[in-house]
Each structure stands twice: as C-alpha cells, then as structure tokens.
C-alpha cells in the first residue's frame, strides 16, 4: 500500500495564535505557562487536522517557539557562552539567541545585554533560520527532550508520529564559526554524532518507529568533505542497534549532482525527494536507491498555494511504484508545509473562481491522502476528487483572468535603451550633489518606522469600513507629520515618510496591481513571531493607477530635506508573493518592472528626487546551485531592476536596499544594478565581507547597516562608531552612508529614537574627523 505523509505543518495556527501568545509573553503581558499551553494546544490541533485529512505519516517536532534550527542549537547544547553566562531559563535563552536580550538589573537579577545570533534565509525561501554559531573547541551534549516530549504528547492523543530532526550534515554545513573562531563546522561531525545516536535511541525507546532526518543541503553544490560526511554520519546513525528507521529528506532542488552520495545512504530505510521542484530527478534517483529502500515522493508543493495537478502527481507516483512496488513508495509534500498558509477555509472574501485554484496546508494534507488512495486503490476510489481536480486545473488554464494582451504588447515593445540610465555614475552623482546638497557620511533610514498598534488598529478599522477613506488618510498624514518631525529633530539627512500606510512592503503593492489577488488570513511565518501574507499572482500584471505618489508628495511638501520615495522592486514583489507556476518567473518580473517603472517616473514628476527600490529578495532568488540557471537569473533579475529604475533623469538618485550581505557569489549582480546608493545588511556579519567591495573597487555609494534592527536592543554611540571605523577599512569615506540595516517597522519608538540619535551622532563624529 502507498502511504501518505506530510513533512511538517505550519505552526502559527489558523489565527496566528502562536504569534500573539509569543509577543504577549515578550511584552510581559502573559505568563510562560500560558505560552507553553498555547504551543501544546496548537500542536494537538495540527496533528488532528492531518489525521482527519487521512494522512498516514504525521510529523512531530516540526513545532517551534521561534525556529527549528535554533531548537537544535539548544538541543545539542551549542549555545555560545555569551548566552549561558546569565543563567536564563531554557526558553529565555532560546529567545535571547533568536532576538537578543537587553534587560536592566533588578534586586534579584543581574543586567543582561546580548545581541542575537545571525539570522539567515532558509535556502531560497522567505523563512529565516538562526545560524548555528560554533566555537573552535565546540563540544555537544544532548540537553533537552523536546523531540521526545512532543512525540509522547502526540502518542497520548492516539497519534503515533514520525519525529522530524535536522540531520547532522545540514546542521553543521548551515552553521558557521563564531566571530574570532576559525573552525570549519563539518570538522565537528565526530563530536556531534554521539548526540544524534543518543537522541535517536531515545526516540526509538519512546516508540518512534521511523524518524524523518532532514538533510536539505544535499540539493546544494557541496565540498567533497561535506559529501563524505554523509557516509560517516549515516553508516553510524543507520546502524544503531536500537535505533529508529530513518527517512532522509531532501527538498528545494534535485540531488542528481550528488547522486554518488546516495549509495552511502541507501541502507537507510527511506529517501525523500522534491518532485515538484525537480521532477526530472525521479529516474536517476530510482536507479540509485537501495534494494529495499523506500522512496518518499514529494509531489504536493510545500512552497506554493496552487492546487496539485492530481493527474501529473499520480503519474510520477505510479512511475515510482512501477520501479519499486507500492509498499516502497510514500506520497508526500515536497517539503514542510511551513511555507504555506494554514487553511483556505478562512478565506471568505476570495472570488470563488480563483479560490478553486488554491490549496493551503490543510487542503494539501488532504491532497497527499487522496493521491495515495488513488494509486493504492485505483482512480475509481477517489473518482469525485479526481474529476473536481481536473475541472479546476482546466478552468485555471483557460481562464480570462490569466491573460492581458496589453501587458504582452508592452513587454514585446521593450528596447535595450529602456534598461540604461541616461549617463554613467560620475555624471549622475555630480548632478545629484547639486540637487540634494548632502553632507559627508549622509544619514538615512531604510523606509519604515514603527508600525504601532495604533496604526494597525486604524488600518483594520478602515479595512472593515468602520472609518472612512478620508479619516484614514488624515490619520496617515498625521503619522507622516510625526515621523518627519522626529527625523528632523534627530538630524537625519535624507528623510522617509515612514510607510505607515503599508501593511507589508509586498502585500501593499499586490493590493494595488492588476493580476494579483490577496487574502485575509493566509499568513506564513517569516521569522520568529513575524508573519507575512503574500499576495497571489494569478494573471498578467499591470498598474491601474499610481500606488505611492500621494503619500510621498505629501511628505515632501512637509520638509525641506530630501524625501526618499519608497518602492518594492520587481524581484522582491515576485518572490515574496505566491508566483504563478504557469509562466516563467522572468516574465512575471518583467511585468512588475514595467508597472514600477511608471511609478518611479511618476514619483520623479511629483518632485521626489531620491527613490529607493528595495530588492531584499534578489539574493534569495539566486538559484541554489552554480550553473546555467544562475546565469539566466542574474540576467533577468538585473534587467528587471534596471527596467524599473532607468527612466529617471541623472539628478534623481536611485537607492536600493538588501537586508543581507552574502555577496561573494553574486557581486556582479549587485554591481550591475547600477544603483547610485546601496544600503545593505552588515550589522551581524563580519565587516570583512565588505572586502569584496574594496577588492572589486565598487565605484558607487553604499550604506552598510550599522546596527541590527531585528533586535529590540539599542546600539550605543560607541558601538556604532566602532562599526563605522571597521567599515572605513574597506570603503572610502566619500562613498559611505550611515543607516540601520533594514526598516524599523518591527521596533518600538522607545528603541528607535535613541538608536537613531546614536547613529546620527556617530555620523557627525566622522564628518568632523574627515572635514
Ligand atoms: C523585511 N522583511 C520582509 C520580508 N517579507 C515580507 N513580505 N515583508 C518584509 O517586510 N522578508 C524579510 C524581512 C523580514 N521579514 C519580516 C516579515 C514580517 C514582518 C512583519 O512585521 N510582519 C507583521 C505583519 C505585517 C502586516 O501585514 N500587517 C497587517 C496586518 C496587521 C494585523 O495583524 N492586524 C490585526 C488586526 C489589527 C489589530 O487590531 O492589531 C489582525 O489582522 O488580526 C497590517 O499592518 O495591516 C507581523 O506582525 O508579523 C517583518 C519582517
Ligand atoms: N523599505 C522597507 C524595506 C525592508 S526590506 C522597510 O523599510 O521596511
Ligand atoms: Zn530590509
């Protein structure tokens, strides 16, 4: 019999209960017991959803109060000493690593001041994990029981789950040496394996027959040493006297380039592959799996919201069954469903025509069960479901909503000249110096200011029709007035309007563009307690009207300082939406670029002479593996940015922003964007990363973020000054801008004002030093 399985379920809850409980606990408004109880309730609810959907193999330990990789850091006692020295509780330590902790001394406790660990993109997704940060003399110890406790918790509810554990090779490969340390993480494998042996044995003792061990790094280009580590690790973990059966899970790509690793793991019970992202790997993998090994076929997309095409999925599964037999095939989600929203049932406002095309986590759980049944018992056993699915797939393929001839005509008329600014950078910056008249070390922020609960409440009232458009507009104008006054008081040079009118930097644009639909409840975790509600691209994209001009123009009218217009770039709009799967991403990016080009030109016409086009997702879109796909991506991603920005005069300054600094393998892309000013994340990474800008003699302006905005802690004046000093080793004073490393929407004003005051004072120090 073909079984069905889910690799992981979203943990926030249908109404983001986990986010609300966590933030309430952080704010001191509710107890730790109440937070733990919410976690328990959600886990039970999610197991039940999957059981009711008919899923045979249900995961546990996919839940986390912050991030699953961070859980493993704590589970293996790989917590740096700067966190353990405060004797915090395990949960407090977890959150301190995730988001930093700054706490004044009390009568009974000492003061705490510690920054967070680095947070990085989970492969090419908009989910962020906390990076294992390792020491030269790193030791590991099993120091917790979370996977076992959660397995037992489900068992008590009558559900025998398959625990999910991040594999040792991925844990180490995704980690890094701590600042000042030089360890190559994979060299720590021998130290780490005994901890896995103990953990797996304990899981088996608790009754876990099978464990899903995630090794997603197998889809990457791996150094030889890392590839060999698979054999070392799994010859031990797959042969434990009393260990569980292991299903090694890979996702987000194919493993064909690492197929020589497969023989070293084909004594394991099973192997999971992502057949949504890489259906072409099936043949090679079938030929390489072990004689008795199970293949878990990931045919239901864990990364997007489109209904599975049953006919295609069944075809793939049947190919596997023909080769291996029904008992050796599992129908699965392609990856964890963490990246999909909870349930389509919450969407009461979606047009039924398009709602019928979607499937969220709860519906996807049903899909794996239906596909498994179709293959096991024959299509007659699920005839109704197959018929409805085929009708839905056909309706989408032929819908008028997907095609707009005017958009296609405009794309066809694009010329080479549309991609280039009028003059090269030296002439542009000379013109910009005249229009903008900025000091050395100009200061700015990245766009958003705190999204206070007042802002959210007013927006919510407006959405529900409880206040009029005029009342809402007045409220937004007042917010803009306030942030301008604050920025002028602090002494920033290039101001922003603060983005109070935006729910999210992508959703906001999605709601204003043709070709998109948006949801009311389809939240997806981005990091920690933060969630996004990606809009959905269903058809060709165009801009019916200006999207940001009113607010930017208003803001500029309220200050003599330059006001920066603020847009989200085409690649980021694409990647942080749920994209179409029937049209290449480059086509969708080009359509977005044309819409944004019109917006950029309209902003300039309205008197906005600094325009930032954010492209934080351009890095995560970079294909995971070296090769042709990367070359193609570099071309279309750069072109779409240039198409959106190149329509302005020389004196208009184009900024771009990326909240990461991992440039080594894509410096050409950064440079080719031809933005006048770049602001990048640099606060958590080693300033040496800037070396690439020095080495490549980067000619334009750059603002490497001087502090980490993801943490509530306030950076001191000295700290920022030291950071700038470090940057000046790599960058010329005349090219350096001073800014935080991302927008301030997630921060409180009590954190923002002192942090920016310290930032401006630090810039003034260098202005005098280099006067
Ligand atoms: C910069 N980043 C972003 C990423 N992706 C995006 N799509 N957007 C980003 O900004 N990726 C990388 C980084 C880091 N990631 C994030 C992700 C999310 C946030 C964030 O602050 N999220 C907010 C939600 C933002 C939002 O859409 N808010 C809406 C709805 C607010 C709401 O909850 N309303 C309530 C009712 C109102 C009330 O009474 O309070 C409700 O619906 O129940 C809005 O503002 O209108 C979050 O809170 O998680 C930051 C960085
Ligand atoms: N302008 C956006 C960029 C975030 S990446 C903001 O400030 O929130
Ligand atoms: Zn950012």
């Amino acid at each position: 019999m073909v079984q069905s399985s889910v690799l992981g379920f979203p943990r926030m809850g249908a109404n983001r209960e986990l986010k609300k409980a966590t933030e309430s606990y952080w704010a001191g408004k509710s107890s730790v017991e109440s937070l733990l109880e919410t976690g328990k309730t959600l886990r039970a609810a999610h197991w039940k959803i999957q059981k009711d959907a008919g899923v045979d193999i249900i995961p546990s330990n996919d839940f986390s109060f912050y991030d699953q990789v961070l859980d493993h850091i704590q589970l293996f006692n790989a917590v740096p000493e700067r966190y353990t020295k405060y004797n915090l509780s395990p949960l407090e330590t977890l959150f301190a690593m995730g988001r930093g902790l700054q706490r004044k001394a009390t009568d009974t406790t000492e003061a705490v001041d510690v920054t967070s660990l680095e947070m990085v993109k989970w492969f090419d997704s908009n989910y962020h994990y906390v990076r294992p940060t390792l020491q030269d003399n790193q030791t590991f110890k099993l120091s917790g029981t979370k996977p076992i406790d959660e397995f037992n918790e489900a068992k008590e509810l009558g559900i025998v789950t398959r625990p999910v554990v991040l594999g040792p090779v991925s844990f180490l490969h995704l980690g890094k040496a701590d600042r000042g340390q030089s360890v190559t993480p994979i060299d720590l494998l021998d130290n780490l394996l005994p901890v896995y042996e103990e953990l797996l044995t304990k899981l088996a003792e608790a009754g876990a027959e099978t464990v899903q061990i995630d090794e997603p790094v197998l889809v990457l280009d791996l150094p030889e040493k890392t590839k060999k580590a698979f054999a070392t690790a799994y010859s031990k973990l797959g042969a434990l006297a009393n260990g569980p059966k292991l299903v090694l899970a890979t996702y987000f790509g194919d493993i064909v380039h690492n197929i020589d690793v497969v023989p070293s793991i084909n004594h394991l019970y099973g192997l999971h592959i992502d057949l949504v992202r890489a259906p072409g790997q099936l043949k090679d993998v079938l030929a390489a799996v072990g004689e008795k090994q199970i293949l878990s076929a990931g045919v239901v997309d864990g990364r997007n919201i489109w209904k599975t095409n049953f006919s295609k999925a069944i075809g793939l599964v049947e190919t596997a069954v023909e080769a291996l037999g029904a008992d050796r095939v599992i129908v699965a989600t392609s990856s964890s469903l963490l990246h999909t929203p909870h349930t389509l049932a919450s969407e009461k406002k979606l047009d039924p025509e398009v709602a019928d095309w979607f499937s969220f986590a709860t519906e996807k759980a049903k899909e794996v069960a239906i596909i498994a049944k179709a293959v096991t018992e024959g299509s007659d056993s699920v005839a109704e479901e197959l018929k409805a699915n085929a009708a839905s797939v056909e309706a989408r393929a032929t819908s008028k909503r997907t095609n707009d001839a005017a958009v296609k005509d405009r794309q066809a008329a694009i010329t080479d000249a549309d991609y280039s600014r009028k003059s090269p950078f030296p002439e542009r910056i000379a013109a910009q110096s005249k229009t903008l008249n900025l000091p050395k070390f100009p200061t700015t922020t990245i766009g958003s200011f705190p999204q206070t609960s007042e802002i959210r409440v007013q927006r919510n009232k407006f959405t529900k029709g409880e206040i009029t458009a005029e009342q809402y507009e007045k409220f937004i104008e007042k917010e803009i007035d306030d942030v301008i006054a604050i920025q002028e008081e602090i002494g920033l040079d290039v101001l922003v309007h603060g983005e109070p009118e935006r729910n999210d930097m992508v959703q906001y644009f999605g709601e204003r563009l043709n070709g998109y639909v948006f949801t009311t409840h389809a939240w997806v975790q981005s990091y920690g307690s933060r969630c996004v509600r990606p809009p959905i691209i269903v058809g060709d994209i165009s801009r019916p009207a200006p999207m940001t001009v009113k607010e930017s123009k208003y803001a500029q009218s309220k200050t003599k300082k330059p006001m920066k217009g603020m847009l989200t770039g085409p690649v980021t709009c694409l990647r942080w939406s749920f994209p179409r799967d029937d049209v290449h991403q480059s086509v969708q990016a080009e359509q977005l670029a044309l819409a944004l080009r019109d917006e950029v030109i309209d902003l300039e016409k309205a008197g906005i002479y600094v325009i930032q086009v954010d492209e934080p997702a351009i890095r995560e879109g970079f294909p995971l593996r070296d090769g042709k796909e990367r070359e193609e991506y570099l071309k279309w991603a750069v072109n779409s940015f240039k198409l959106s920005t190149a329509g302005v005069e020389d004196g208009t300054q184009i900024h771009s922003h990326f909240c990461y600094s991992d440039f080594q393998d894509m410096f050409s892309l950064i440079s080719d964007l031809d933005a006048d000013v770049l602001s990048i994340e640099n606060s958590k990474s080693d300033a040496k990363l800037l070396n690439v800008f020095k080495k490549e003699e980067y000619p334009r302006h750059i603002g490497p973020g001087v502090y980490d905005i993801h943490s509530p802690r306030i950076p001191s004046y000295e700290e920022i000054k030291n950071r700038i000093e470090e940057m000046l080793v790599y960058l010329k004073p005349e090219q350096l801008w001073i800014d935080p490393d991302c927008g301030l929407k997630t921060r409180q004003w009590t954190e923002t004002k002192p942090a920016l005051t310290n930032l401006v004072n630090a810039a003034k120090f260098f202005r005098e030093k280099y006067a």
Side-chain angles (χ1 to χ4, degrees):
M1 158 189 168
V2 173
Q3 288 189 301
S4 57
S5 91
V6 167
L7 263 55
F9 201 80
R11 46 217 180 203
M12 280 294 150
N15 291 304
R16 290 178 299 157
E17 290 84 347
L18 184 58
K19 171 198 172 61
K20 290 168 193 168
T22 310
E23 290 179 358
S24 163
Y25 164 72
W26 287 339
K29 291 183 190 153
S30 54
S31 65
V32 67
E33 290 76 23
S34 148
L35 175 60
L36 297 178
E37 195 51 39
T38 302
K40 191 172 176 188
T41 308
L42 287 171
R43 289 191 293 272
H46 299 165
W47 287 322
K48 183 167 183 315
I49 286 171
Q50 295 171 81
K51 188 167 193 253
D52 292 348
V55 176
D56 299 310
I57 302 167
I58 295 171
S60 58
N61 198 40
D62 51 342
F63 177 83
S64 175
F65 280 109
Y66 201 91
D67 160 53
Q68 70 274 11
V69 183
L70 180 57
D71 289 342
H72 287 78
I73 294 174
Q74 193 164 48
L75 183 67
F76 302 151
N77 204 31
V79 181
E81 196 262 340
R82 55 186 177 278
Y83 302 98
T84 53
K85 71 177 186 189
Y86 292 115
N87 293 319
L88 301 168
S89 73
L91 192 64
E92 283 175 322
T93 308
L94 185 96
F95 289 142
M97 286 190 284
R99 59 195 299 266
L101 185 61
Q102 201 169 39
R103 198 158 73 186
K104 292 204 176 91
T106 64
D107 290 347
T108 50
T109 56
E110 61 175 323
V112 182
D113 189 3
V114 62
T115 56
S116 56
L117 289 178
E118 189 183 8
M119 187 173 80
V120 272
K121 290 276 172 187
W122 181 241
F123 294 78
D124 54 2
S125 76
N126 193 10
Y127 178 78
H128 304 68
Y129 74 97
V130 178
R131 200 157 182 198
T133 301
L134 304 159
Q135 316 301 319
D136 292 351
N137 61 355
Q138 185 71 55
T139 56
F140 300 101
K141 190 176 92 188
L142 189 65
S143 71
T145 50
K146 178 180 180 291
I148 299 138
D149 294 346
E150 290 180 13
F151 175 80
N152 285 332
E153 206 176 285
K155 205 163 86 176
E156 276 167 28
L157 297 170
I159 300 174
V160 178
T161 56
R162 183 173 76 181
V164 186
V165 175
L166 179 62
V169 183
S170 293
F171 178 82
L172 293 173
H173 187 77
L174 296 172
K176 65 166 189 181
D178 207 350
R179 262 184 187 228
Q181 305 290 297
S182 56
V183 66
T184 303
I186 202 69
D187 290 346
L188 296 167
L189 185 67
D190 286 343
N191 290 354
L192 181 58
L193 286 178
V195 180
Y196 273 88
E197 290 179 23
E198 192 184 341
L199 172 65
L200 293 173
T201 308
K202 286 193 166 152
L203 280 168
E205 278 166 12
E209 247 183 60
T210 318
V211 167
Q212 171 187 324
I213 193 145
D214 282 7
E215 287 288 10
V217 301
L218 202 54
V219 307
L220 304 176
D221 292 316
L222 293 175
E224 214 40 50
K225 209 187 223 182
T226 309
K227 284 173 84 162
K228 288 211 177 98
F230 278 94
T232 314
Y234 291 101
S235 59
K236 287 210 169 96
L237 303 182
L240 293 178
N242 298 310
K245 298 188 282 190
L246 298 182
V247 173
L248 186 139
T250 66
Y251 34 84
F252 306 151
D254 76 88
I255 60 167
V256 175
H257 56 290
N258 284 325
I259 206 83
D260 50 332
V261 170
V262 174
S264 71
I265 54 171
N266 69 13
H267 60 289
L268 298 184
Y269 172 68
L271 173 64
H272 171 87
I273 54 170
D274 183 340
L275 290 173
V276 174
R277 188 68 79 84
Q281 66 179 322
L282 181 58
K283 198 164 140 265
D284 292 307
V285 174
L286 283 175
V289 294
E291 268 177 30
K292 294 185 181 155
Q293 201 169 30
I294 299 280
L295 184 78
S296 165
V299 290
V300 170
D301 198 351
R303 289 284 297 273
N304 212 331
I305 46 66
W306 301 106
K307 211 172 237 187
T308 304
N309 180 326
F310 281 166
S311 153
K312 266 195 201 162
I314 289 169
L316 285 166
V317 177
E318 279 176 343
T319 306
V321 169
E322 272 161 33
L324 307 177
D327 290 341
R328 286 178 57 201
V329 177
I330 298 173
V331 174
T333 54
S334 64
S335 65
S336 164
L337 296 175
L338 178 68
H339 314 282
T340 61
H342 188 93
T343 178
L344 191 56
S346 300
E347 298 304 325
K348 309 288 184 212
K349 291 194 179 158
L350 270 181
D351 178 340
E353 184 197 0
V354 290
D356 182 53
W357 304 345
F358 304 152
S359 169
F360 296 175
T362 303
E363 294 73 37
K364 282 170 192 280
K366 290 181 193 145
E367 288 185 343
V368 285
I370 292 168
I371 298 167
K373 193 166 179 198
V375 178
T376 305
E377 297 176 25
S379 39
D380 283 353
S381 65
V382 281
E384 279 302 309
E385 288 87 343
L386 297 191
K387 196 172 149 211
N389 181 269
S392 166
V393 168
E394 170 70 13
R396 181 176 163 220
T398 52
S399 168
K400 284 205 181 74
R401 294 183 80 122
T402 55
N403 284 305
D404 182 338
V407 174
K408 294 207 168 66
D409 289 349
R410 191 165 175 207
Q411 286 184 280
I414 296 170
T415 66
D416 283 352
D418 294 334
Y419 296 109
S420 298
R421 295 286 298 267
K422 296 192 168 58
S423 311
F425 178 69
E427 288 166 45
R428 299 199 310 256
I429 196 72
Q432 291 159 19
S433 306
K434 281 192 202 135
T435 23
L436 303 175
N437 195 22
L438 295 170
K440 261 197 195 135
F441 301 101
T443 54
T444 191
T445 60
I446 306 306
S448 56
F449 269 98
Q451 283 266 333
T452 58
S453 51
E454 175 63 359
I455 296 181
R456 296 215 158 119
V457 166
Q458 291 302 323
R459 183 159 40 252
N460 200 23
K461 281 189 179 167
F462 173 52
T463 313
K464 287 187 183 151
E466 291 170 10
I467 56 171
T468 63
E470 202 176 301
Q471 283 171 314
Y472 183 60
E473 196 174 310
K474 282 278 159 277
F475 170 77
I476 294 295
E477 285 182 357
K478 168 83 174 52
E479 285 295 317
I480 295 175
D481 295 345
D482 291 350
V483 296
I484 291 177
I486 292 169
Q487 292 172 90
E488 289 191 329
E489 194 187 319
I490 291 172
L492 286 148
D493 300 305
V494 174
L495 309 195
V496 295
H497 77 287
E499 304 179 25
E501 77 287 9
R502 301 186 192 179
N503 40 19
D504 171 72
M505 58 184 287
V506 170
Q507 193 191 340
Y508 180 80
F509 290 94
E511 287 170 0
R512 279 156 186 78
L513 289 165
N514 293 333
Y516 266 101
V517 296
F518 46 92
T519 61
T520 52
H521 288 74
W523 294 97
V524 178
Q525 186 177 10
S526 180
Y527 71 90
S529 69
R530 294 284 163 180
C531 301
V532 293
R533 206 165 21 167
I536 305 171
I537 307 179
V538 295
D540 291 335
I541 299 157
S542 61
R543 185 193 77 144
M547 304 180 281
T548 64
V549 176
K550 190 174 67 186
E551 289 79 10
S552 286
K553 197 174 166 183
Y554 174 80
Q556 184 64 86
S557 76
K558 294 282 168 170
T559 179
K560 292 204 166 58
K561 294 206 169 177
M563 176 59 56
K564 189 159 59 163
M566 199 60 57
L567 302 174
T568 304
V571 180
T572 301
C573 277
L574 172 72
R575 295 214 49 99
W576 291 354
S577 302
F578 286 117
R580 290 168 77 169
D581 60 356
D582 56 341
V583 165
H584 195 271
Q585 297 214 348
S586 59
V587 177
Q588 300 173 67
E590 192 174 83
Q591 295 175 354
L592 283 158
L594 287 171
L596 288 162
R597 181 183 178 92
D598 295 344
E599 186 74 11
V600 168
I601 292 171
D602 282 349
L603 280 171
E604 185 185 52
K605 278 191 203 143
I608 306 297
Y609 299 122
V610 183
I611 302 169
Q612 181 173 305
V613 178
D614 292 323
E615 277 295 23
I618 212 165
R619 177 69 186 85
E620 90 191 25
F622 195 46
L624 293 171
R625 295 195 45 229
D626 211 359
K628 197 164 147 265
E629 219 191 311
R630 272 194 182 176
E631 275 168 41
E632 283 166 6
Y633 174 77
L634 289 179
K635 213 164 157 191
W636 67 256
V638 167
N639 275 348
S640 58
F641 179 86
K642 290 174 84 175
L643 185 60
S644 64
T645 51
V648 291
E649 299 299 323
D650 288 350
T652 298
Q653 188 166 70
I654 297 290
H655 288 221
S656 191
H657 158 73
F658 323 110
C659 10
Y660 54 82
S661 56
D662 208 359
F663 299 116
Q664 288 87 335
D665 52 359
M666 57 175 297
F667 187 79
S668 69
L669 178 146
I670 302 296
S671 192
D672 291 350
L673 296 179
D674 198 24
D676 299 309
V677 183
L678 288 183
S679 59
I680 59 173
E681 185 278 321
N682 189 59
S683 62
K684 292 198 207 177
S685 351
D686 200 322
K688 284 196 195 80
L689 280 174
L690 295 176
N691 206 14
V692 63
F693 284 86
K694 183 176 182 182
K695 222 172 68 206
E696 304 285 341
E697 296 180 8
Y698 184 74
R700 292 178 287 277
H701 288 190
I702 173 165
V706 294
Y707 75 90
D708 170 23
I709 62 83
H710 294 101
S711 169
R713 69 180 290 284
I714 298 161
S716 68
Y717 165 73
E718 280 301 324
E719 205 175 313
I720 298 180
K721 211 160 76 95
N722 293 341
R723 209 72 191 134
I724 299 173
E725 202 78 72
E726 267 182 324
M727 290 169 189
L728 284 165
V729 174
Y730 304 99
L731 299 168
K732 297 191 199 99
E734 57 276 16
Q735 71 181 147
L736 193 57
W737 284 60
I738 310 299
D739 46 28
D741 70 355
C742 188
L744 296 156
K745 62 188 161 205
T746 58
R747 301 274 51 88
Q748 308 280 329
W749 276 111
T750 47
E751 298 146 7
T752 302
K753 282 188 197 167
L756 290 179
T757 305
N758 293 343
L759 177 149
V760 168
N761 288 337
K764 283 184 182 156
F765 170 86
F766 287 98
R767 239 168 247 165
E768 278 172 28
K769 186 170 168 187
Y770 286 85

